[in-house]
Amino acid sequence: MSRQEIYSPEGLRVDGRRWNEIRRLSCKINTHPISCDGSSYLQIGNTKVMTMVHGPIEPKNKSSLLQDRAYLTVNLNIPSFSFFNATTNKKLSKNSKKILELQVSLVNIFQDLIILKNYPRTQIIINTIVLNQDGSLISSIINSISLALIDSGISMYDYISSVNCGLFNSKFPILDLNYLEELDLPFLTIAIIGKSENVSFLLLENNLPLDALEKILAISISGSHRIKDLMDNQVKKSSKLRIKSINEQSIN
Amino acid sequence: MSSTSKQNWAISDCDAHFCDVLVMLKIFVPFHCYGWSSQKCWGAEEETAGEAGKAGEAGEAPAEATMEVLTVSKPIQNREDFDSDSDSDLDLDFASPQKQSLQNSVVTPGELVTSDPMLMRGHGTYSVGNKTYSSVAGTISRVNKLLSVIPLKSRFRPETGDHIVGRITEVGNKRWKVDIGGEQNAILLLGSVNLPGGILRRKSQNDELTMRNFLKEGDLLNCEVQMLYNDGAAGLHTRSLKYGKLRNGLLVLVPSYLIVRTKNHSFDLPGNVSIILGVNGFVWLYKTPLKTSLSSSSTLKNTNLNKFQTMLNSDSSNYTPGSTSVSITRLEEESTWEIYSDKNDPNISNNVRLNIVRYKNCLKCLSHCEIGITKSRIEHVYDISLEYENSGNLIEIEVMERIGKDVLNGEKMRGVNTSKMMSL
């Protein structure tokens, strides 16, 4: 794909979006009410991620028992069927370095976000499965885990919302990249705590001109805030439905 | 939220039925806000919005870049519901006192609950300076000065006096570890169980060595929370004849918030089935034990006679775990080795087994529809379920939802006054 098609002179991207347009985000919480304590399903464009949280529970083995706080485990599962073009893509096996590194950084993000000292001598297990991927994978995983933790009733300081942003022609920032754009553009993934400007996680694996960084950060922070709003709306909506059904029972 | 965003929501609602709508949220972000040492972490958005307003009026566009994010939102299916949602959500300010008393207001993590420094912070909150924020998604509850947020969903939290059902996971030093579906395993000390034969004495080293003869890994038991340790773990006891090992039945797991804490948690149900509704959401369904004359007021002679009868047909266990009428004074007569026996009653009829399964599916119906579980509701669902000959049909989703509606409608018709049917 030539570089011109990524961002047309009219200001449209390969999928017809503007430079600052997020793909359609839809999310659900409490998708697996029986099998785990908190669950979520998040879809942004064609990227689909499902998360299940177990815990706080008694630690599975003694080594994961901490006297003063909960032990956090993140299991990331990216099956090969999640690539829409499995043949040309490099496959990520369960123990590949990339996955292990991601798991560690996810633990680091959520360790600071969850109020772990409220749950001494317990373990919290987060299982994430990527069902389909089409760009902005890591940010969708972070958003999905954030929703599942809220669903499980585990105390946390705030939401965490994440988005990625690329740079076209070393000048124009482009928000929320899809798979094709990720192939061609340098991009960074950022995670923001709540509605603040506190960066909890920033991942940059390509070269990016330093003078463009400020522009990219500004638009990604706005994008993260927008995603936080969308997730918050969904959480409030489903909470209200539950409360409504409880009230119906007690009014009778 | 700024007023621009509200307007844009209104636009999106008007156009919602055409197609996907571009919702434009204008966030003007002055670049000098993004210092690397971001000090204004909480409530930064108001400040930014304020500055943005000023910048817009003065028209200082070259210095400040415009950062707006476009999103595509789904056509809204349930428009009325969403309208009321978005309006109330955006306007809710929990710091104002009259809104605080508002029932059913939902807060989410990181949301400001109050900035009143006089209030005490309870569960589900944290504070930065004088401001109290919510740390879970749930409803605000205020008891005098204590402010807490109750999550909509969480694991079971034991309280002293709870009647619960648990499963032994570990036999340790003078104690059993019991899985009660909570955050941590509960502890059952050797000192807080009844010895077979009902002898009241200090537990010796010999008892420690034979702990596995009483209860071993995987056994289910019926017990009460005696105390809570500092870290939130529960200490259990079974020092009453209504508690002890469970036999002759089936365990059903339901969410713990569906079970209401009441005075009594074990009932006899129609169809020769009894139930123990553990507060932790572990429900034990079992064959109603034979009522011997022991439970009525009996003379010593009668008791001896019964003992003799028991010895005669010793293969049928006469231990009655759920019968609440047994007092602790008859400990000697009733607690033999039988109370720790692993043998099921061999005479459980097919009919009783089918009834137990039917009750299990009734409980699944109630938990699927998220209806609080009480004795009267279980009996009601059982009555409805009798029109399905094969109780396996009960767990089809359409049937479960229909039954759930029937139960609630039935209560409405009869005017049952249930002020609180769920522990939420």
Side-chain angles (χ1 to χ4, degrees), chain A residues 160-177:
Chain A
I160 194 157
S161 53
S162 173
V163 79
N164 69 356
C165 185
L167 190 71
F168 175 72
N169 261 357
S170 312
K171 256 184 266 169
F172 308 110
I174 289 184
L175 193 63
D176 187 31
L177 306 185

Side-chain angles (χ1 to χ4, degrees), chain A residues 20-22 30 37 56 58 121 151 156-157 196 217 232 236-237 240 242-243 246-247 249-250 252, chain B residues 36 41 68 70 85 89 104 108 111 126 135 139 153 155 183 185 231 370 372 412 416 418 424:
Chain A
N20 55 351
E21 192 173 341
I22 299 173
N30 206 11
D37 296 303
E58 186 82 9
R121 303 169 66 84
D151 180 43
M156 45 204 279
Y157 288 108
S196 71
L217 280 182
D232 197 38
K236 286 208 162 144
K237 205 166 138 190
K240 288 213 165 139
R242 279 173 69 90
I243 290 176
I246 291 166
N247 283 351
Q249 285 175 42
S250 43
N252 288 341
Chain B
W36 288 105
C41 49
E68 47 184 67
L70 305 180
D85 264 17
D89 281 352
N104 312 335
T108 46
E111 198 167 314
Y126 68 92
S135 68
T139 52
K153 236 177 88 179
R155 285 184 84 84
E183 286 168 7
N185 285 351
D231 57 356
E370 299 205 302
K412 223 176 255 174
V416 181
T418 48
L424 268 173

Side-chain angles (χ1 to χ4, degrees), chain A residues 40 51 110 113 141-151 156 158-161 231:
Chain A
S40 75
T51 304
F110 286 99
L113 195 74
I141 290 169
I142 293 172
N143 293 335
S144 167
I145 294 177
S146 177
L147 281 173
L149 283 171
I150 288 165
D151 180 43
M156 45 204 279
D158 213 323
Y159 278 84
I160 194 157
S161 53
M231 295 199 295

Side-chain angles (χ1 to χ4, degrees), chain A residues 6-251:
Chain A
I6 292 280
Y7 191 60
S8 75
E10 293 81 34
L12 291 175
R13 288 150 69 176
V14 271
D15 46 9
R17 285 184 287 156
R18 302 269 169 192
W19 66 276
N20 55 351
E21 192 173 341
I22 299 173
R23 287 171 289 173
R24 188 161 92 186
L25 181 115
S26 61
C27 49
K28 266 186 218 164
I29 59 169
N30 206 11
T31 50
H32 300 70
I34 306 291
S35 55
C36 55
D37 296 303
S39 47
S40 75
Y41 170 81
L42 183 128
Q43 182 175 359
I44 181 158
N46 282 328
T47 305
K48 297 167 189 172
V49 181
M50 199 166 74
T51 304
M52 281 170 270
V53 172
H54 297 267
I57 50 170
E58 186 82 9
K60 291 266 150 75
N61 46 22
K62 282 278 184 297
S63 63
S64 46
L65 190 146
L66 302 172
Q67 292 296 334
D68 57 336
R69 61 195 172 91
Y71 186 86
L72 187 66
T73 320
V74 176
N75 299 314
L76 189 58
N77 189 1
I78 306 184
S80 55
F81 66 76
S82 67
F83 295 97
F84 64 85
N85 196 356
T87 46
T88 56
N89 247 301
K90 52 183 190 295
K91 279 177 192 160
L92 294 173
S93 77
K94 203 186 164 194
N95 288 320
S96 78
K97 272 200 179 135
K98 172 125 182 154
I99 298 273
L100 291 175
E101 191 193 327
L102 250 177
Q103 283 180 356
V104 170
S105 42
L106 286 172
V107 167
N108 286 337
I109 295 171
F110 286 99
Q111 230 166 20
D112 299 334
L113 195 74
I114 302 172
I115 310 177
L116 287 174
K117 66 173 195 303
N118 283 1
Y119 308 101
R121 303 169 66 84
T122 57
Q123 187 178 19
I124 297 171
I125 303 169
I126 299 170
N127 294 318
T128 301
I129 303 163
V130 177
L131 300 175
N132 203 354
Q133 45 175 308
D134 181 24
S136 56
L137 177 70
I138 296 161
S139 55
S140 326
I141 290 169
I142 293 172
N143 293 335
S144 167
I145 294 177
S146 177
L147 281 173
L149 283 171
I150 288 165
D151 180 43
S152 68
I154 292 171
S155 329
M156 45 204 279
Y157 288 108
D158 213 323
Y159 278 84
I160 194 157
S161 53
S162 173
V163 79
N164 69 356
C165 185
L167 190 71
F168 175 72
N169 261 357
S170 312
K171 256 184 266 169
F172 308 110
I174 289 184
L175 193 63
D176 187 31
L177 306 185
N178 64 22
Y179 167 72
L180 285 174
E181 289 163 338
E182 273 186 2
L183 281 185
D184 279 14
L185 303 181
F187 67 98
L188 59 80
T189 302
I190 195 170
I192 301 291
I193 295 174
K195 275 299 195 74
S196 71
E197 284 154 17
N198 286 4
V199 178
S200 149
F201 170 76
L202 197 149
L203 182 74
L204 174 60
E205 287 171 328
N206 325 80
N207 290 326
L208 209 64
L210 188 61
D211 56 337
L213 190 65
E214 217 169 47
K215 241 190 282 181
I216 289 185
L217 280 182
I219 188 66
S220 3
I221 288 173
S222 312
S224 298
H225 288 171
R226 189 79 194 97
I227 284 176
K228 191 248 167 185
D229 283 341
L230 290 170
M231 295 199 295
D232 197 38
N233 274 339
Q234 183 61 37
V235 169
K236 286 208 162 144
K237 205 166 138 190
S238 51
S239 305
K240 288 213 165 139
L241 275 178
R242 279 173 69 90
I243 290 176
K244 211 170 125 196
S245 75
I246 291 166
N247 283 351
E248 262 170 24
Q249 285 175 42
S250 43
I251 286 164

Side-chain angles (χ1 to χ4, degrees), chain B residues 109-236:
Chain B
E111 198 167 314
L112 182 67
V113 180
T114 180
S115 43
D116 184 357
M118 294 302 287
L119 290 166
M120 283 162 66
R121 286 124 196 169
H123 286 297
T125 62
Y126 68 92
S127 58
V128 178
N130 276 336
K131 290 183 173 165
T132 307
Y133 297 88
S134 166
S135 68
V136 292
T139 52
I140 298 173
S141 101
R142 189 175 158 180
V143 182
N144 294 329
K145 289 261 171 197
L146 180 70
L147 195 73
S148 45
V149 180
I150 301 160
L152 287 171
K153 236 177 88 179
S154 69
R155 285 184 84 84
F156 170 65
R157 285 199 170 225
E159 283 171 27
T160 309
D162 281 349
H163 185 173
I164 56 179
V165 173
R167 191 190 287 278
I168 305 279
T169 56
E170 199 183 312
V171 182
N173 175 30
K174 288 192 205 165
R175 69 193 61 200
W176 289 274
K177 285 270 181 74
V178 188
D179 175 18
I180 57 166
E183 286 168 7
Q184 294 172 62
N185 285 351
I187 290 160
L188 176 66
L189 289 172
L190 178 59
S192 29
V193 299
N194 280 328
L195 285 176
I199 317 146
L200 293 167
R201 59 169 168 80
R202 276 183 74 95
K203 308 291 189 287
S204 62
Q205 202 161 22
N206 205 23
D207 292 321
E208 271 177 53
L209 295 172
T210 56
M211 272 173 71
R212 267 211 180 75
N213 295 347
F214 304 153
L215 294 162
K216 58 184 166 302
E217 289 91 344
D219 284 349
L220 284 160
L221 81 160
N222 168 20
C223 50
E224 190 182 290
V225 178
Q226 188 172 31
M227 58 173 295
L228 292 175
Y229 294 100
N230 283 337
D231 57 356
L236 308 173

